[in-house]
Amino acid sequence: MSDVDFYAARMDRAVRAAVQEGLAGLVVAPGPDLVWLCGYEPVTTERLTALLLLPDRKPWLVVPHLERPDAEKAPGAGALRITGWSDGENPYAEIVKALDPQGRYGVSDNAWALHLLALQRSLPGTAYAALTEAMPMLRAVKDAYELERLAAAGAAADATYEAIVELPFAGRRENEVAADLARLLRENGHSQVDFTIVGSGPNGANPHHEAGDRMIEEGDMVVLDFGGLKDGYGSDTTRTVHVGEPTQVERKVHDLVREAQQAAFEAVRPGVACQEIDRVARQVIRKAGYGEYFIHRTGHGIGVTTHEPPYMVEGEHLPLVPGMCFSIEPGIYLPGRFGVRIEDIVACTDSGARRLNNTARELRTVS
């Protein structure tokens, strides 16, 4: 299948899904939705760029005239009608003619308010719904092409972990280890590094701790959470290591998180509600008396971004479907002491789950 046919099929699928959800069409802004639908990734500025996907119309990409040459080089450009607008012109004038004045449209989550409000002023009878809410399944189920790239990104993150644990930790600052993680991700093929969390000692009790100047010491637990994009698809993995020999309590907490992560992994199968994966992990931790210290959802989807639907969280009733890819990352965070998190990306299959991260989940000691 050519690139043009590939992206044309995606856009056609999106339009049909929109109609099924009662939408009049989609207005897609620069960002992951646009990249996924037609392969175009412009620099985001205040100038309007929008992809309109409407029933019975050829997909229409509106771009600033000065950016049109780049748009025409996008992999899916051959499936698009591309028009440009110049500075000083009203960029919405032609778009509003194509929209139903009373229609309800799906719009990218990250669309600028500047542009959405302009459309609403021009067509006050229209309504808009965020794609995450209106069409959460649009990018959630991955095809074989996407699964292959997610697996490759996961393998690259695994190689990064195997390399980082061979480096010294004690006597180095968190941000120095974080810089090594970023370097290793790039050496293993990542074009974009999204995060390198290094939470040592008490900093590990903050799940989204920004690596700082704290000196890592002998006896520290260290949470390592890192990922980014490789060939357009995300990686995200977490392992918790210990500098030197852990105490009995530290080992107990780590083993408990590992047990919760394994239980949630074994619960993955088609038809199971997303919230059930969260419940299974949480139950293990709650029964051991640490429930109040598990302070975030169990997982999130991953694809062309490192966080996207589906979410493994209480209240999410979406059933798992083969091809869904998401994290399973329970944690325990003891304020002022230490934290533990273990995270793998998994794919739902016809018969259960497949891990896309395969480094050892046992507590590893580092120097």
Side-chain angles (χ1 to χ4, degrees):
M1 180 184 293
S2 69
D3 282 348
V4 172
D5 291 339
F6 177 80
Y7 286 108
R10 275 192 176 173
M11 288 186 281
D12 180 65
R13 170 182 150 195
V15 171
R16 287 186 283 107
V19 171
Q20 290 174 357
E21 294 298 329
L23 298 173
L26 303 179
V27 180
V28 183
D33 293 322
L34 187 63
V35 174
W36 188 82
L37 285 163
C38 69
Y40 182 43
E41 189 173 9
V43 175
T44 303
T45 71
E46 76 286 354
R47 292 186 173 95
L48 174 73
T49 293
L51 171 66
L52 274 70
L53 298 179
L54 308 172
D56 304 319
R57 285 177 176 263
K58 186 173 184 177
W60 178 20
L61 181 64
V62 179
V63 300
H65 188 70
L66 74 169
E67 296 174 10
R68 183 168 177 169
D70 290 332
E72 291 173 342
K73 296 175 184 176
L80 300 169
R81 172 195 172 203
I82 301 176
T83 62
W85 63 273
S86 298
D87 290 346
E89 296 178 349
N90 179 357
Y92 313 101
E94 294 301 313
I95 290 177
V96 298
K97 295 177 184 178
L99 299 182
D100 178 350
Q102 303 300 318
R104 179 172 176 265
Y105 292 89
V107 63
S108 301
D109 294 9
N110 57 334
W112 281 28
L114 171 73
H115 303 311
L116 185 57
L117 292 171
L119 290 175
Q120 289 178 316
R121 282 195 301 270
S122 299
L123 295 172
T126 54
Y128 300 87
L131 284 183
T132 292
E133 296 178 357
M135 298 173 61
M137 295 291 283
L138 178 62
R139 301 192 334 247
V141 180
K142 274 61 181 178
D143 58 26
Y145 170 92
E146 294 181 292
L147 288 170
E148 179 181 340
R149 277 149 187 78
L150 283 164
D158 286 354
T160 295
Y161 173 71
E162 294 294 358
I164 198 71
V165 295
E166 296 299 325
L167 299 179
F169 279 67
R172 302 180 69 212
R173 300 186 188 279
E174 291 174 340
N175 51 25
E176 293 175 317
V177 176
D180 282 337
L181 282 170
R183 172 180 58 79
L184 289 165
L185 283 168
R186 292 190 177 94
E187 287 178 2
N188 283 291
H190 280 62
S191 60
Q192 177 176 314
V193 176
D194 287 342
F195 48 89
T196 52
I197 294 172
V198 179
S200 64
N203 288 341
N206 175 1
H208 281 175
H209 170 69
E210 291 280 346
D213 289 334
R214 183 182 185 276
M215 193 73 73
I216 301 172
E217 303 172 351
E218 182 81 15
D220 279 346
M221 279 281 208
V222 185
V223 178
L224 304 171
D225 183 353
F226 51 95
L229 297 182
K230 180 182 185 295
D231 297 328
Y233 282 82
S235 69
D236 185 1
T237 189
T238 308
R239 292 291 184 265
T240 303
V241 300
H242 196 276
V243 184
E245 286 302 312
T247 66
Q248 186 175 356
V249 171
E250 289 170 330
R251 191 175 294 280
K252 173 187 173 182
V253 171
H254 190 278
D255 286 348
L256 179 59
V257 173
R258 181 161 58 95
E259 180 185 348
Q261 211 257 2
Q262 180 65 25
F265 171 78
E266 292 175 359
V268 173
R269 60 185 183 279
V272 170
C274 291
Q275 69 177 3
E276 186 62 22
I277 307 307
D278 182 81
R279 288 176 175 179
V280 168
R282 206 166 296 278
Q283 182 181 27
V284 172
I285 292 173
R286 185 181 296 120
K287 283 179 65 177
Y290 288 89
E292 65 182 295
Y293 303 111
F294 182 8
I295 56 178
H296 55 72
R297 66 194 175 203
T298 294
H300 58 82
I302 191 168
V304 292
T305 61
T306 49
H307 281 213
E308 61 185 48
Y311 297 102
M312 307 302 115
V313 66
E314 184 66 31
E316 181 51 83
H317 300 284
L318 274 175
L320 296 179
V321 175
M324 280 184 171
C325 292
F326 50 90
S327 67
I328 297 180
E329 50 178 304
I332 293 175
Y333 308 94
L334 303 178
R337 298 173 64 190
F338 63 89
V340 175
R341 182 165 63 257
I342 301 173
E343 174 186 16
D344 292 327
I345 300 302
V346 304
C348 181
T349 71
D350 291 330
S351 58
R354 169 193 172 196
R355 292 188 193 272
L356 302 187
N357 293 110
N358 293 289
T359 54
R361 283 163 287 282
E362 291 78 16
L363 182 57
R364 188 159 182 172
T365 58
V366 294
S367 62

